[in-house]
Amino acid sequence: MRRIEINMDLANVDDDGVFQNQTLGGAGNFTLNGAEVVSAEWVTPDLFAKQIGFASTGNISAVNFTIFGYEDRNKTIPISETIAGPNNNTVETTNYFYSIQSVSASGVVGTNTKAGAVNKAISQIIPTKRTYSDRNERQIGLSFIVTGTIDYTVQQTNDNIQSLTNRNFNWLDHDDSDLVNATISKNGNYIAIAQAMRVKINSYSSGAELLIKVN
């Protein structure tokens, strides 16, 4: 298959990049006014989808937040997630957002609340299935070069990533345990080739990078 390189040069965390401290007198939408918002839309600054954190010093756990956005740059994978608000802490989405169009609350938000991307991300989808006309296509070599402090997991799917109607894919961790929660540079491979792969960043510190090489 054609060689692919992706450099995940991850942006520093901005905990109010989606919206800065706000309260709401009742159910409604937060104003997306963080530093990473452009034309009323939050877009991840490093081009990698991120989990989103909501922080407040008050207890607003009885209020549900609903986030609507997309996982991918081309807006083919829509995401809508509802989570309970924070209680003097930070709560995080389970989904990864490339962009966000709206965040709403189900009731009164009486204490200042802010939202921004956290230090968890995913790479774009990397197609790996090609043709078996060439025997060399039966194995794929992987390299992951770490700069700084990072924890990453390689995942794959056998779902049809070309589908125009079903864009929800099942991602499973790599069978090689060395590529699950890895923290240093690693080599690996696919002998049984999946339809596609991605890399999930479980955590990272400022200045971290992960260079992905797929051969």
Side-chain angles (χ1 to χ4, degrees):
M1 62 171 287
R2 179 176 59 86
R3 178 188 177 101
I4 297 172
E5 285 195 10
I6 297 172
N7 185 26
M8 296 189 74
D9 184 1
L10 296 158
N12 293 342
V13 170
D14 182 353
D15 64 2
D16 63 358
V18 177
F19 63 79
Q20 299 169 359
N21 278 331
Q22 294 179 39
T23 59
L24 292 174
N29 289 341
F30 291 99
T31 300
L32 304 188
N33 62 354
E36 296 168 350
V37 173
V38 178
S39 299
E41 176 186 44
W42 175 83
V43 178
T44 180
D46 53 22
L47 306 183
F48 300 107
K50 304 283 185 63
Q51 288 182 307
I52 306 299
F54 297 85
S56 178
T57 58
N59 182 0
I60 48 176
S61 58
V63 180
N64 289 327
F65 295 164
T66 299
I67 310 97
F68 175 78
Y70 293 89
E71 183 181 293
D72 63 316
R73 185 174 187 174
N74 294 324
K75 298 183 178 180
T76 66
I77 308 176
I79 304 169
S80 181
E81 180 174 346
T82 299
I83 62 173
N87 179 7
N88 192 27
N89 64 351
T90 299
V91 295
E92 299 177 0
T93 62
T94 56
N95 286 296
Y96 298 82
F97 292 83
Y98 183 96
S99 63
I100 294 174
Q101 280 64 48
S102 67
V103 181
S104 63
S106 64
V108 174
V109 177
T111 55
N112 274 329
T113 302
K114 60 184 178 180
V118 299
N119 65 341
K120 298 173 183 177
I122 52 171
S123 73
Q124 55 264 62
I125 295 172
I126 305 169
T128 50
K129 198 77 167 181
R130 294 292 189 269
T131 172
Y132 292 134
S133 61
D134 183 343
R135 189 173 295 273
N136 291 330
E137 296 268 6
R138 295 183 181 271
Q139 182 167 329
I140 292 176
L142 307 172
S143 293
F144 306 94
I145 309 302
V146 168
T147 300
T149 301
I150 197 166
D151 182 307
Y152 65 95
T153 294
V154 182
Q155 296 184 315
Q156 64 275 329
T157 183
N158 275 309
D159 294 338
N160 179 14
I161 63 168
Q162 303 299 328
S163 173
L164 298 178
T165 57
N166 183 6
R167 302 297 295 167
N168 295 313
F169 308 129
N170 296 294
W171 293 99
L172 300 175
D173 293 350
H174 198 288
D175 293 337
D176 182 351
S177 60
D178 284 347
L179 296 178
V180 177
N181 291 115
T183 58
I184 60 175
S185 299
K186 291 283 187 179
N187 288 318
N189 62 68
Y190 280 117
I191 297 175
I193 301 174
Q195 292 291 330
M197 62 169 285
R198 71 178 187 182
V199 177
K200 180 177 70 170
I201 305 300
N202 304 306
S203 64
Y204 69 92
S205 298
S206 297
E209 296 183 32
L210 181 67
L211 177 60
I212 304 166
K213 299 183 178 183
V214 183
N215 298 300

